[in-house]
Amino acid sequence: PNDVKSYFDYAKALGMPMMNIGTTAAIMPTVEKFAKEYDIKIAIHNHGPEDKNFPAPSDALKVIKNMDPRMGVCIDVGHTTRTGKNVLEEIEAAGPRLLDMHMKDLRNLMDRDSQCDVGDGAMPVVQIFKLLKKMNYQGTVHLEYEINADNPLLGMHRSFSYMRGINATLRA
């Protein structure tokens, strides 16, 4: 508990409204206690088939379904598809517990090493943004760009442009 408290003390000192965490089901009651005490939202980040605790968002939702509404998920779309789950169903099932999103694209939805610029792969990006709009999602969609380490800017700009184009069309 003291270790968990130190993370909340740090987040409060920084003025963070939310913490994006990797955790275990066993510690979640302690996390929930501090989330209420500090009034800080918690977004459990799923890490795909390699994650022994929360491979898919639905695994986290099972643990937090009866917890305080500040307890939610950060859906990483790449890791989610690699579990074999339908990313759109996972997003919809999260509902108001969807607090944060990590967007990336994969040429092969089951292969973490097939990451590409957003819009160039098999991720249903347009459908994801349409669903988020339908859900009135108020959180952030972060670009998680983990390729072209020596010169990522062009691919990042292309990815952002693609996502902004989708959003502009949805607002029209």
Coordinates of all heavy atoms in Angstrom, one line a residue, residues 12-74:
K12 N -0.3 13.5 -7.8 CA -1.0 14.7 -7.2 C 0.0 15.9 -7.2 O -0.4 17.0 -7.6 CB -1.4 14.4 -5.8 CG -2.2 15.5 -5.2 CD -2.7 15.2 -3.8 CE -3.5 16.4 -3.2 NZ -4.9 16.3 -3.3
A13 N 1.2 15.7 -6.9 CA 2.2 16.8 -7.0 C 2.4 17.3 -8.4 O 2.6 18.5 -8.5 CB 3.6 16.3 -6.4
L14 N 2.2 16.5 -9.4 CA 2.3 16.9 -10.8 C 1.0 17.5 -11.3 O 0.9 18.1 -12.4 CB 2.7 15.8 -11.7 CG 4.1 15.3 -11.5 CD1 4.4 14.1 -12.4 CD2 5.1 16.4 -11.8
G15 N -0.1 17.3 -10.5 CA -1.4 17.8 -10.9 C -2.1 16.9 -12.0 O -2.9 17.3 -12.8
M16 N -1.7 15.6 -12.0 CA -2.2 14.7 -13.0 C -3.6 14.3 -12.7 O -3.9 13.8 -11.6 CB -1.3 13.4 -13.1 CG 0.1 13.7 -13.5 SD 1.2 12.2 -13.3 CE 0.4 11.0 -14.2
P17 N -4.5 14.4 -13.7 CA -5.9 14.0 -13.4 C -6.1 12.5 -13.6 O -7.1 12.0 -13.2 CB -6.7 14.8 -14.5 CG -5.7 15.0 -15.6 CD -4.4 15.1 -15.0
M18 N -5.1 11.8 -14.2 CA -5.3 10.4 -14.5 C -3.9 9.8 -14.5 O -2.9 10.4 -14.9 CB -5.9 10.2 -15.9 CG -6.1 8.8 -16.3 SD -6.9 8.6 -17.9 CE -5.8 9.3 -19.0
M19 N -3.9 8.5 -14.1 CA -2.7 7.7 -14.3 C -3.0 6.5 -15.2 O -4.0 5.9 -15.0 CB -2.2 7.2 -12.9 CG -1.7 8.2 -12.0 SD -0.7 7.6 -10.5 CE -1.9 6.6 -9.7
N20 N -2.1 6.2 -16.1 CA -2.2 5.1 -17.0 C -1.3 4.0 -16.4 O -0.1 4.3 -16.3 CB -1.7 5.6 -18.4 CG -2.0 4.7 -19.5 OD1 -1.9 3.5 -19.3 ND2 -2.4 5.3 -20.6
I21 N -1.8 2.9 -16.1 CA -1.0 1.9 -15.3 C -1.1 0.5 -15.8 O -2.0 0.1 -16.5 CB -1.5 1.9 -13.8 CG1 -2.9 1.3 -13.7 CG2 -1.4 3.3 -13.2 CD1 -3.3 1.0 -12.2
G22 N 0.0 -0.2 -15.5 CA 0.0 -1.7 -15.7 C 0.0 -2.2 -14.2 O 0.7 -1.7 -13.4
T23 N -0.9 -3.2 -13.9 CA -1.1 -3.6 -12.6 C -1.5 -5.0 -12.5 O -1.6 -5.7 -13.5 CB -2.1 -2.7 -11.8 OG1 -2.1 -3.0 -10.4 CG2 -3.5 -2.7 -12.4
T24 N -1.9 -5.5 -11.4 CA -2.5 -6.8 -11.2 C -3.9 -6.7 -10.6 O -4.2 -5.7 -9.9 CB -1.6 -7.7 -10.3 OG1 -1.7 -7.1 -9.0 CG2 -0.2 -7.8 -10.8
A25 N -4.7 -7.7 -10.7 CA -6.0 -7.7 -10.1 C -6.0 -7.6 -8.6 O -6.8 -6.9 -8.0 CB -6.8 -8.9 -10.6
A26 N -5.0 -8.3 -8.0 CA -4.9 -8.3 -6.6 C -4.7 -7.0 -5.9 O -5.2 -6.7 -4.8 CB -3.7 -9.3 -6.2
I27 N -4.0 -6.1 -6.6 CA -3.7 -4.8 -6.0 C -4.8 -3.7 -6.3 O -4.8 -2.6 -5.8 CB -2.3 -4.3 -6.4 CG1 -1.9 -3.2 -5.4 CG2 -2.3 -3.7 -7.8 CD1 -0.4 -3.1 -5.4
M28 N -5.8 -4.1 -7.2 CA -6.8 -3.1 -7.6 C -7.6 -2.5 -6.5 O -7.9 -1.3 -6.5 CB -7.7 -3.7 -8.7 CG -7.0 -3.8 -10.1 SD -6.1 -2.2 -10.6 CE -7.5 -1.2 -10.8
P29 N -8.0 -3.2 -5.4 CA -8.7 -2.6 -4.3 C -7.9 -1.5 -3.7 O -8.5 -0.4 -3.3 CB -9.0 -3.8 -3.4 CG -9.0 -5.0 -4.3 CD -8.0 -4.7 -5.3
T30 N -6.6 -1.7 -3.5 CA -5.8 -0.6 -3.0 C -5.7 0.6 -3.9 O -5.8 1.7 -3.5 CB -4.4 -1.2 -2.7 OG1 -4.5 -2.3 -1.8 CG2 -3.5 -0.1 -2.1
V31 N -5.5 0.3 -5.2 CA -5.5 1.4 -6.2 C -6.8 2.2 -6.2 O -6.8 3.4 -6.2 CB -5.2 0.8 -7.6 CG1 -5.4 1.9 -8.7 CG2 -3.8 0.2 -7.7
E32 N -7.9 1.4 -6.1 CA -9.2 2.1 -6.1 C -9.4 3.0 -4.8 O -9.8 4.1 -4.9 CB -10.4 1.1 -6.0 CG -11.7 1.7 -6.0 CD -12.9 0.7 -5.7 OE1 -12.6 -0.4 -5.1 OE2 -14.0 1.0 -6.2
K33 N -8.9 2.5 -3.7 CA -8.9 3.3 -2.5 C -8.2 4.7 -2.6 O -8.7 5.7 -2.3 CB -8.3 2.5 -1.3 CG -8.2 3.3 0.0 CD -7.4 2.5 1.0 CE -6.6 3.5 1.9 NZ -5.4 3.1 2.3
F34 N -7.0 4.6 -3.2 CA -6.3 5.8 -3.4 C -6.8 6.7 -4.5 O -6.8 7.9 -4.5 CB -4.8 5.5 -3.6 CG -4.1 5.1 -2.4 CD1 -3.5 3.8 -2.3 CD2 -3.9 6.0 -1.3 CE1 -2.9 3.4 -1.1 CE2 -3.3 5.6 -0.2 CZ -2.7 4.3 -0.1
A35 N -7.4 6.1 -5.6 CA -8.0 6.8 -6.6 C -9.2 7.7 -6.1 O -9.3 8.9 -6.5 CB -8.6 5.9 -7.7
K36 N -9.9 7.1 -5.2 CA -11.0 7.9 -4.5 C -10.4 9.0 -3.6 O -10.9 10.1 -3.7 CB -11.9 7.0 -3.7 CG -12.8 6.0 -4.5 CD -13.8 5.4 -3.5 CE -13.8 3.9 -3.7 NZ -14.8 3.3 -2.8
E37 N -9.5 8.6 -2.8 CA -8.9 9.6 -1.8 C -8.2 10.8 -2.5 O -8.4 11.9 -2.1 CB -7.8 8.8 -1.0 CG -7.2 9.7 0.1 CD -6.1 8.9 0.9 OE1 -6.3 7.7 1.1 OE2 -5.1 9.6 1.3
Y38 N -7.5 10.5 -3.6 CA -6.8 11.5 -4.4 C -7.6 12.1 -5.5 O -7.2 13.1 -6.1 CB -5.5 11.0 -4.9 CG -4.4 10.8 -3.8 CD1 -4.5 9.8 -2.9 CD2 -3.3 11.6 -3.8 CE1 -3.5 9.6 -2.0 CE2 -2.3 11.4 -2.8 CZ -2.5 10.4 -1.9 OH -1.5 10.2 -1.0
D39 N -8.8 11.6 -5.8 CA -9.6 12.0 -6.9 C -8.8 12.0 -8.3 O -8.8 13.0 -9.0 CB -10.3 13.3 -6.7 CG -11.4 13.6 -7.7 OD1 -11.9 12.6 -8.3 OD2 -11.6 14.8 -8.0
I40 N -8.1 10.9 -8.5 CA -7.4 10.7 -9.7 C -7.9 9.5 -10.5 O -8.1 8.4 -9.9 CB -5.9 10.5 -9.4 CG1 -5.3 11.8 -8.8 CG2 -5.1 10.1 -10.7 CD1 -3.8 11.6 -8.3
K41 N -8.2 9.6 -11.7 CA -8.7 8.5 -12.6 C -7.5 7.5 -12.8 O -6.4 7.9 -12.9 CB -9.2 9.0 -13.9 CG -10.5 9.8 -13.7 CD -11.0 10.3 -15.1 CE -12.3 11.1 -14.9 NZ -12.7 11.7 -16.2
I42 N -7.9 6.3 -13.0 CA -7.0 5.2 -13.3 C -7.4 4.5 -14.6 O -8.5 4.1 -14.7 CB -7.0 4.1 -12.2 CG1 -6.6 4.8 -10.8 CG2 -6.1 2.9 -12.5 CD1 -5.1 5.3 -10.8
A43 N -6.4 4.5 -15.5 CA -6.7 3.8 -16.8 C -5.7 2.6 -16.9 O -4.5 2.8 -17.0 CB -6.4 4.8 -18.0
I44 N -6.3 1.4 -16.8 CA -5.5 0.2 -16.9 C -5.1 0.0 -18.4 O -6.0 -0.2 -19.2 CB -6.2 -1.0 -16.4 CG1 -6.5 -0.8 -14.9 CG2 -5.4 -2.3 -16.5 CD1 -7.5 -1.9 -14.3
H45 N -3.8 -0.1 -18.7 CA -3.3 -0.3 -20.1 C -3.2 -1.8 -20.3 O -2.5 -2.5 -19.6 CB -2.0 0.5 -20.2 CG -1.5 0.4 -21.6 ND1 -1.0 -0.7 -22.2 CD2 -1.3 1.5 -22.5 CE1 -0.6 -0.4 -23.4 NE2 -0.7 0.9 -23.6
N46 N -3.8 -2.3 -21.4 CA -3.6 -3.7 -21.8 C -2.4 -3.8 -22.7 O -2.0 -2.9 -23.4 CB -4.9 -4.2 -22.5 CG -5.1 -3.5 -23.9 OD1 -5.3 -2.3 -23.9 ND2 -5.0 -4.3 -24.9
H47 N -1.7 -5.0 -22.5 CA -0.5 -5.2 -23.2 C -0.5 -6.4 -24.1 O 0.6 -7.0 -24.3 CB 0.7 -5.2 -22.3 CG 1.1 -3.8 -21.8 ND1 0.7 -3.3 -20.6 CD2 1.8 -2.8 -22.5 CE1 1.2 -2.0 -20.5 NE2 1.8 -1.7 -21.6
G48 N -1.6 -6.9 -24.5 CA -1.6 -8.0 -25.5 C -1.4 -9.4 -24.9 O -1.3 -9.6 -23.7
P49 N -1.2 -10.4 -25.8 CA -1.1 -11.7 -25.4 C 0.1 -12.0 -24.4 O 0.0 -13.0 -23.6 CB -0.9 -12.5 -26.7 CG -0.8 -11.6 -27.8 CD -1.1 -10.2 -27.2
E50 N 1.1 -11.2 -24.4 CA 2.2 -11.4 -23.5 C 1.9 -10.9 -22.1 O 2.6 -11.3 -21.1 CB 3.5 -10.6 -24.0 CG 3.9 -10.9 -25.3 CD 3.2 -10.2 -26.5 OE1 2.4 -9.3 -26.2 OE2 3.3 -10.6 -27.6
D51 N 0.8 -10.2 -21.9 CA 0.5 -9.6 -20.6 C -0.3 -10.7 -19.8 O -1.4 -11.1 -20.2 CB -0.4 -8.4 -20.8 CG -0.8 -7.7 -19.6 OD1 -0.7 -8.2 -18.4 OD2 -1.2 -6.5 -19.7
K52 N 0.3 -11.1 -18.7 CA -0.3 -12.2 -17.9 C -1.5 -11.6 -17.1 O -2.3 -12.4 -16.6 CB 0.7 -12.8 -17.0 CG 1.8 -13.6 -17.7 CD 2.8 -14.2 -16.8 CE 3.9 -15.0 -17.4 NZ 4.1 -14.8 -18.8
N53 N -1.6 -10.3 -16.9 CA -2.7 -9.7 -16.1 C -3.9 -9.2 -16.9 O -5.0 -9.6 -16.6 CB -2.1 -8.6 -15.2 CG -1.0 -9.1 -14.3 OD1 -1.3 -10.0 -13.4 ND2 0.2 -8.7 -14.4
F54 N -3.6 -8.4 -17.8 CA -4.7 -7.7 -18.6 C -4.3 -7.7 -20.1 O -4.0 -6.6 -20.6 CB -5.0 -6.3 -18.1 CG -5.4 -6.3 -16.6 CD1 -4.5 -5.7 -15.7 CD2 -6.6 -6.8 -16.2 CE1 -4.9 -5.7 -14.3 CE2 -7.0 -6.8 -14.9 CZ -6.1 -6.3 -13.9
P55 N -4.4 -8.8 -20.8 CA -4.0 -8.9 -22.2 C -5.0 -8.0 -23.0 O -4.6 -7.3 -23.9 CB -4.1 -10.3 -22.6 CG -4.7 -11.1 -21.4 CD -4.7 -10.2 -20.2
A56 N -6.3 -8.0 -22.7 CA -7.3 -7.3 -23.5 C -8.0 -6.4 -22.5 O -8.1 -6.6 -21.3 CB -8.3 -8.2 -24.2
P57 N -8.6 -5.3 -23.0 CA -9.4 -4.4 -22.1 C -10.5 -5.1 -21.4 O -10.8 -4.8 -20.2 CB -10.0 -3.4 -23.1 CG -9.1 -3.4 -24.3 CD -8.6 -4.8 -24.4
S58 N -11.2 -6.1 -22.0 CA -12.2 -6.8 -21.3 C -11.7 -7.6 -20.1 O -12.5 -7.8 -19.1 CB -12.9 -7.8 -22.3 OG -12.0 -8.6 -22.9
D59 N -10.5 -7.9 -20.1 CA -9.9 -8.6 -18.9 C -9.9 -7.6 -17.7 O -10.1 -8.0 -16.6 CB -8.5 -9.1 -19.2 CG -8.5 -10.2 -20.3 OD1 -9.3 -11.1 -20.1 OD2 -7.8 -10.1 -21.2
A60 N -9.5 -6.4 -18.0 CA -9.5 -5.3 -16.9 C -10.9 -5.0 -16.5 O -11.2 -4.8 -15.3 CB -8.8 -4.1 -17.4
L61 N -11.8 -4.9 -17.5 CA -13.2 -4.5 -17.2 C -13.9 -5.5 -16.2 O -14.7 -5.1 -15.4 CB -14.0 -4.4 -18.5 CG -13.7 -3.2 -19.4 CD1 -14.3 -3.3 -20.7 CD2 -14.0 -1.9 -18.7
K62 N -13.5 -6.8 -16.3 CA -14.0 -7.8 -15.4 C -13.7 -7.5 -14.0 O -14.4 -7.7 -13.0 CB -13.5 -9.2 -15.7 CG -14.1 -9.8 -17.0 CD -13.4 -11.1 -17.3 CE -13.6 -11.5 -18.8 NZ -12.7 -12.5 -19.3
V63 N -12.5 -7.0 -13.8 CA -12.0 -6.7 -12.4 C -12.6 -5.4 -11.9 O -12.9 -5.3 -10.7 CB -10.4 -6.6 -12.4 CG1 -9.9 -6.1 -11.1 CG2 -9.8 -7.9 -12.8
I64 N -12.8 -4.4 -12.7 CA -13.2 -3.0 -12.3 C -14.7 -2.8 -12.4 O -15.2 -1.7 -12.0 CB -12.4 -1.9 -13.0 CG1 -12.7 -1.9 -14.5 CG2 -10.9 -2.0 -12.7 CD1 -12.1 -0.7 -15.2
K65 N -15.5 -3.7 -12.9 CA -16.9 -3.5 -13.3 C -17.7 -2.9 -12.1 O -18.6 -2.1 -12.3 CB -17.5 -4.7 -13.9 CG -17.7 -5.9 -12.9 CD -18.3 -7.1 -13.6 CE -18.3 -8.2 -12.6 NZ -18.5 -9.5 -13.2
N66 N -17.4 -3.3 -10.9 CA -18.2 -2.8 -9.7 C -17.4 -1.8 -8.9 O -17.8 -1.5 -7.8 CB -18.6 -4.0 -8.9 CG -19.6 -4.9 -9.6 OD1 -20.5 -4.4 -10.3 ND2 -19.4 -6.2 -9.5
M67 N -16.3 -1.3 -9.4 CA -15.5 -0.3 -8.7 C -15.9 1.1 -9.0 O -16.8 1.3 -9.9 CB -14.0 -0.5 -9.1 CG -13.4 -1.8 -8.5 SD -11.6 -1.9 -8.8 CE -11.2 -3.2 -7.7
D68 N -15.3 2.0 -8.3 CA -15.5 3.4 -8.5 C -15.4 3.8 -10.0 O -14.6 3.3 -10.7 CB -14.5 4.2 -7.7 CG -14.8 5.7 -7.7 OD1 -15.5 6.1 -6.8 OD2 -14.3 6.4 -8.5
P69 N -16.3 4.8 -10.5 CA -16.2 5.2 -11.9 C -14.9 5.8 -12.3 O -14.6 5.8 -13.5 CB -17.3 6.2 -12.0 CG -18.1 6.2 -10.8 CD -17.3 5.4 -9.8
R70 N -14.0 6.2 -11.4 CA -12.7 6.7 -11.8 C -11.8 5.5 -12.3 O -10.8 5.8 -12.9 CB -12.0 7.3 -10.6 CG -12.6 8.7 -10.3 CD -12.0 9.2 -9.0 NE -12.9 8.7 -7.9 CZ -13.5 9.4 -7.0 NH1 -13.4 10.7 -7.0 NH2 -14.2 8.8 -6.1
M71 N -12.2 4.3 -12.1 CA -11.4 3.2 -12.5 C -11.8 2.8 -13.9 O -13.0 2.5 -14.2 CB -11.7 2.0 -11.6 CG -11.5 2.3 -10.1 SD -9.9 2.9 -9.7 CE -9.0 1.4 -9.8
G72 N -10.9 2.9 -14.9 CA -11.2 2.6 -16.3 C -10.1 1.9 -17.0 O -9.2 1.3 -16.4
V73 N -10.1 2.0 -18.3 CA -9.1 1.4 -19.2 C -8.5 2.4 -20.1 O -9.1 3.4 -20.5 CB -9.7 0.2 -19.9 CG1 -10.1 -0.9 -19.0 CG2 -10.9 0.6 -20.8
C74 N -7.3 2.1 -20.5 CA -6.6 2.7 -21.7 C -6.5 1.6 -22.7 O -5.8 0.6 -22.5 CB -5.2 3.2 -21.3 SG -4.2 3.6 -22.7

